[in-house]
Amino acid sequence: MATGEVKCIDEEIPFEIPQGWEWERIGNVFFVTKLAGFEYTKFFTKEALSASNPIPIVRAQNVRMGFFEENKNEAISEMLSNQLERSALNKKCLLMTFIGAGIGDTCIFPAERKNHLAPNVAKIEPLDDSISLDYAVFALMSPCGQRGVNAIKKSTAQPSLSMETIRKLLTSIPPLKEQKCISLKLSEALPLVEKYSKVQEEQNQLNVEIQYLLKKSILQEAIQGKLVPQIAEEGTAQELLEQIKTEKEKLVKDGKLKKSALTDSVIFKGDDNKYYERINGQTIEIEFPFEYPNSWYVARLKDICQLIDGKKKSGKGICLDAKYLRGKSSATIIEKGKFVYAGDNIILVDGENSGEVFIVPQDGYMGSTFKQLWLSSAMWKPYILAFILFYKEELRNSKRGAAIPHLNKELFYNLFIGIPPLAEQQRIAERINELSQLLK
């Protein structure tokens, strides 16, 4: 309502406009209204709504930025629409969502046939012929037009616009002839922008996919023994297998590993050049997913790593959950839990990303969805982690459980891993790192 008061609004003006243009508030050039909440509750009953009725209702999901989509599922009678004439849509106008995720989305209602407002959508009708709807919708969709909307989005958990807020939004208005020229040029240019944006999105997605496939290819070459050459002087991995066995026996004796960790299988190549596995006194023929170099030994992943609970401890400490480790949340302090130390490895065993491994950045308590990943000290840890990373998608896609999917431990433990001599493991890990840097 005009009061005659003169007020400086320099701080609200985002930029200078050409001579002949004017800054105006939406409420000075448009009539803004909505369907009242009590009207919706009273009149829009289940019995009143039917797709077979002639007047479709417009909900927030029918209004997208620059695009209107008619509601095919809900409609009211002509009689009911006439009772609520103020919120009926009879002619071309602007629509704007004012509650929820799509707050501020604006489009032109094309008036191909009569519709009616439902809650969450405002009707914005020009007061006279001094403003073009085609120009106005571009103005309200622009960063300047969305400036007030974005400020509200940032300041509230559940953003919403009152009708008064919409009326106070500022827009720049050129002469009518220039409005029509601007909207015509934008109508010509924006489809091209959209086309090139889509091409750019496809290219970006292709780049991501290529990078993923290249990384996967590098890891596959690594675990097949094709990434670096074998050096005869480095011997074989036989010595490592003895060290791993001795280490596990000691850890079982100390109570740090379960006795089941000692049930190693023995995988060997027969005189017929076929591979066999001897476990619990039985020997069976097995097939590998690919060939390994002759100087390598093959084992199950469970023979060189185990999932353990970690050390129970009490006292204040940081909770090392997935969000914190990914840098997506701040630290939470808890009083007790399974304690791990900086440099330890932990693996997600619950949730969508089961199988993902993290190197612990600082002492603290594991999140409830983790297990500690024990890796034999006889092996080069970066080599084992590269192997697990190669199978990341397979582990993720073979999760067990419905409500909360869990790591498929049977699959995880039974993966075949080729074991080269320690020096070769180190060279492989170094080469993976070099090639990964080139992909960044």
Side-chain angles (χ1 to χ4, degrees):
M1 180 181 294
T3 62
E5 180 185 358
V6 178
K7 179 183 175 184
C8 179
I9 61 168
D10 283 351
E11 290 184 359
E12 293 186 63
I13 302 300
F15 51 81
E16 290 292 325
I17 54 177
Q19 188 173 359
W21 289 40
E22 298 289 343
W23 283 107
E24 274 290 4
R25 296 198 185 277
I26 292 298
N28 293 338
V29 288
F30 288 95
F31 173 69
V32 181
T33 192
K34 66 172 183 173
L35 175 73
F38 78 89
E39 291 177 324
Y40 178 75
T41 305
K42 181 178 179 180
F43 296 105
F44 285 56
T45 61
K46 276 188 177 180
E47 294 73 24
L49 294 176
S50 170
S52 62
N53 283 328
I55 315 298
I57 65 171
V58 179
R59 296 191 182 276
Q61 57 263 38
N62 303 121
V63 178
R64 292 290 177 261
M65 193 64 90
F67 177 72
F68 173 77
E69 182 177 307
E70 189 174 277
N71 190 339
K72 303 289 187 184
N73 303 310
E74 298 172 300
I76 59 174
S77 68
E78 183 78 49
M79 182 183 298
L80 178 54
S81 181
N82 290 339
Q83 282 183 266
L84 304 169
E85 186 178 356
R86 183 183 175 91
S87 48
L89 298 170
N90 297 299
K91 59 183 179 180
K92 285 184 72 172
C93 63
L94 300 181
L95 301 176
M96 179 184 285
T97 57
F98 59 85
I99 296 178
I103 179 176
D105 281 2
T106 306
C107 72
I108 292 177
F109 171 64
E112 293 169 352
R113 67 166 166 155
K114 185 177 180 180
N115 277 233
H116 203 102
L117 290 179
N120 301 359
V121 180
K123 174 171 66 170
I124 305 174
E125 294 180 298
L127 295 176
D128 55 39
D129 295 331
S130 65
I131 188 161
S132 158
L133 283 180
D134 292 329
Y135 169 79
V137 73
F138 286 132
L140 288 176
M141 286 166 55
S142 72
C144 174
Q146 292 286 303
R147 192 165 171 248
V149 176
N150 291 331
I152 289 170
K153 281 183 181 177
K154 292 176 183 177
S155 62
T156 56
Q158 175 64 24
S160 65
L161 298 168
S162 67
M163 295 303 98
E164 190 57 31
T165 304
I166 295 175
R167 293 182 188 111
K168 287 182 177 179
L169 293 175
L170 278 171
T171 188
S172 58
I173 303 178
L176 183 59
K177 187 176 180 180
E178 193 168 349
Q179 291 177 39
K180 293 179 178 178
C181 289
I182 291 170
S183 57
L184 179 61
K185 286 293 183 184
L186 287 172
S187 297
E188 293 172 351
L190 289 180
L192 295 175
V193 173
E194 187 175 347
K195 176 183 176 182
Y196 291 130
S197 294
K198 188 175 181 180
V199 170
Q200 185 64 56
E201 285 176 11
E202 291 172 351
Q203 183 177 330
N204 292 343
Q205 181 61 31
L206 185 60
N207 287 339
V208 169
E209 291 173 3
I210 288 173
Q211 189 174 47
Y212 167 78
L213 292 172
L214 284 172
K215 192 169 186 177
K216 182 88 172 177
S217 178
I218 289 168
L219 292 173
Q220 180 161 341
E221 292 288 290
I223 66 175
Q224 286 185 259
K226 297 179 179 180
L227 198 59
V228 299
Q230 284 71 52
I231 299 176
E233 288 74 18
E234 291 175 353
T236 68
Q238 179 64 48
E239 184 180 335
L240 294 181
L241 298 178
E242 295 301 323
Q243 291 177 25
I244 294 166
K245 184 178 180 180
T246 302
E247 181 183 17
K248 287 203 294 185
E249 287 173 347
K250 183 178 185 306
L251 290 171
V252 169
K253 185 178 179 182
D254 294 342
K256 295 179 179 179
L257 286 182
K258 294 179 181 179
K259 194 172 182 179
S260 58
L262 295 178
T263 57
D264 297 351
S265 63
V266 177
I267 296 172
F268 60 94
K269 196 172 189 178
D271 295 335
D272 55 2
N273 283 325
K274 295 180 180 180
Y275 283 92
Y276 297 87
E277 182 175 23
R278 185 167 61 247
I279 185 168
N280 296 329
Q282 291 187 324
T283 300
I284 58 171
E285 183 181 344
I286 55 175
E287 291 186 7
F288 294 146
F290 33 69
E291 289 294 319
Y292 299 96
N294 290 330
S295 58
W296 288 26
Y297 278 81
V298 183
R300 300 276 187 181
L301 192 56
K302 64 185 177 184
D303 297 330
I304 60 168
C305 75
Q306 290 284 315
L307 304 177
I308 59 179
D309 288 333
K311 180 182 177 183
K312 289 184 179 179
K313 191 177 176 182
S314 59
K316 288 185 177 180
I318 289 177
C319 178
L320 301 164
D321 58 23
K323 284 187 177 180
Y324 175 72
L325 293 172
R326 293 192 181 104
K328 293 184 177 180
S329 70
S330 54
T332 301
I333 304 299
I334 57 176
E335 299 287 340
K336 61 181 180 179
K338 306 289 181 64
F339 200 79
V340 287
Y341 297 91
D344 285 346
N345 298 286
I346 57 178
I347 182 169
L348 277 169
V349 293
D350 292 328
E352 289 301 316
N353 293 306
S354 295
E356 186 175 0
V357 179
F358 294 84
I359 298 174
V360 176
Q362 63 195 99
D363 297 356
Y365 296 108
M366 282 190 297
S368 60
T369 56
F370 281 99
K371 288 278 190 182
Q372 188 173 352
L373 181 65
W374 171 80
L375 303 175
S376 172
S377 62
M379 297 283 291
W380 190 245
K381 287 184 181 180
Y383 173 76
I384 306 175
L385 294 177
F387 174 87
I388 295 173
L389 181 60
F390 174 76
Y391 283 101
K392 180 179 176 180
E393 289 301 315
E394 187 172 339
L395 292 169
R396 180 181 291 169
N397 295 333
S398 61
K399 299 181 296 292
R400 290 180 171 174
I404 301 177
H406 310 288
L407 176 70
N408 186 334
K409 294 179 184 177
E410 183 180 357
L411 171 65
F412 179 80
Y413 276 143
N414 284 309
L415 290 172
F416 292 115
I417 179 169
I419 303 178
L422 184 62
E424 188 174 344
Q425 292 179 37
Q426 293 170 336
R427 288 189 293 113
I428 289 171
E430 184 178 349
R431 185 60 178 152
I432 290 173
N433 185 55
E434 289 173 357
L435 293 173
S436 296
Q437 293 299 318
L438 294 176
L439 292 179
K440 290 182 177 179

